[in-house]
Amino acid sequence: MSLPVYVPVRWTARERARVGGIVTFVALLHVAGWSLYLYYVDGPAGAGGFAGAGTLAYSLGVRHAFDADHIAAIDDTTRLMTQRGRRPVGVGFFFALGHSTVVLVLALIVALAAGAAGHGVESFRHVGGLVSQLVAMSFLLLVAVLNGLVLAGLIGLWRRMAHGRIDRRELELQLLNRGLMNRLLGDRVRGLIRSSWHM
């Protein structure tokens, strides 16, 4: 069996402009974020106390962008759109924009609720801490079980492929069907995403 030959595809001027716009927007977000940070800590001299925490939070956020679930969501969507004959150059960007917007809105809601509650929050701290730990542990255990099931499915798929009992079309279909949400929602969700910005 011979491997397919990679043929580089030339980008159109419109696609290069879209990628340039995405990179420019990300750069502007970084400049705005760091500028606001330095403004609120009274410049670089006042940032000393928070510089370590800010840099750690920033680097953990950048690392979080490369988590497996994010890469899988972007890869699956890119693969699906490519199969439909699309050139999805902005899937990762719009996924990140949507994800960070949800996180930002939730952080603002928590900050506003904590400010409105005042000192009444203290009475809920112990119970809330216990509940949050139980919820986090249960969620992580559920994710571990689901990942184990996905791994077992991938091992079975690999064995079938190694013995020549699966063709390329069926392999692509199996790769598109991975993940719990993909299996539950399937074609209904795939039909909603027709362009990069739908992410």
Side-chain angles (χ1 to χ4, degrees):
M1 180 175 95
S2 63
L3 294 173
V5 178
Y6 173 71
V7 179
V9 179
R10 293 199 177 273
W11 288 35
T12 65
R14 184 177 177 202
E15 290 169 341
R16 284 195 296 272
R18 286 176 65 195
V19 171
I22 289 169
V23 170
T24 302
F25 188 77
V26 170
L28 289 174
L29 282 175
H30 278 76
V31 169
W34 283 104
S35 299
L36 286 169
Y37 171 71
L38 291 173
Y39 173 77
Y40 281 106
V41 294
D42 298 324
F50 295 104
T55 304
L56 178 64
Y58 175 79
S59 60
L60 287 175
V62 170
R63 189 207 59 77
H64 178 63
F66 295 96
D67 281 350
D69 58 334
H70 295 186
I71 299 300
I74 293 165
D75 175 64
D76 286 349
T77 305
T78 302
R79 187 184 302 265
L80 177 68
M81 290 177 67
T82 302
Q83 286 180 345
R84 291 179 176 168
R86 307 285 306 225
R87 296 286 298 274
V89 297
V91 170
F93 171 72
F94 286 107
F95 175 85
L97 200 59
H99 181 27
S100 59
T101 301
V102 168
V103 171
L104 182 64
V105 168
L106 288 175
L108 288 173
I109 290 171
V110 168
L112 292 172
H119 296 291
V121 174
E122 293 296 326
S123 61
F124 295 105
R125 179 176 288 178
H126 179 68
V127 175
L130 184 63
V131 169
S132 66
Q133 288 176 5
L134 290 173
V135 168
M137 286 174 17
S138 302
F139 179 75
L140 290 174
L141 285 172
L142 176 65
V143 168
V145 169
L146 294 174
N147 282 337
L149 294 173
V150 170
L151 177 61
L154 287 174
I155 290 171
L157 179 65
W158 178 76
R159 286 183 178 157
R160 286 172 41 205
M161 193 175 73
H163 291 90
R165 291 181 295 189
I166 189 170
D167 63 357
R168 186 174 184 83
R169 181 177 168 83
E170 188 180 351
L171 176 64
E172 287 294 326
L173 184 63
Q174 291 292 331
L175 290 174
L176 279 175
N177 283 332
R178 65 184 172 205
L180 177 68
M181 296 308 288
N182 243 345
R183 290 180 181 163
L184 290 177
L185 302 175
D187 292 331
R188 284 173 280 189
V189 172
R190 290 187 198 126
L192 295 175
I193 299 175
R194 296 180 303 277
S195 186
S196 295
W197 68 271
H198 293 159
M199 284 296 282

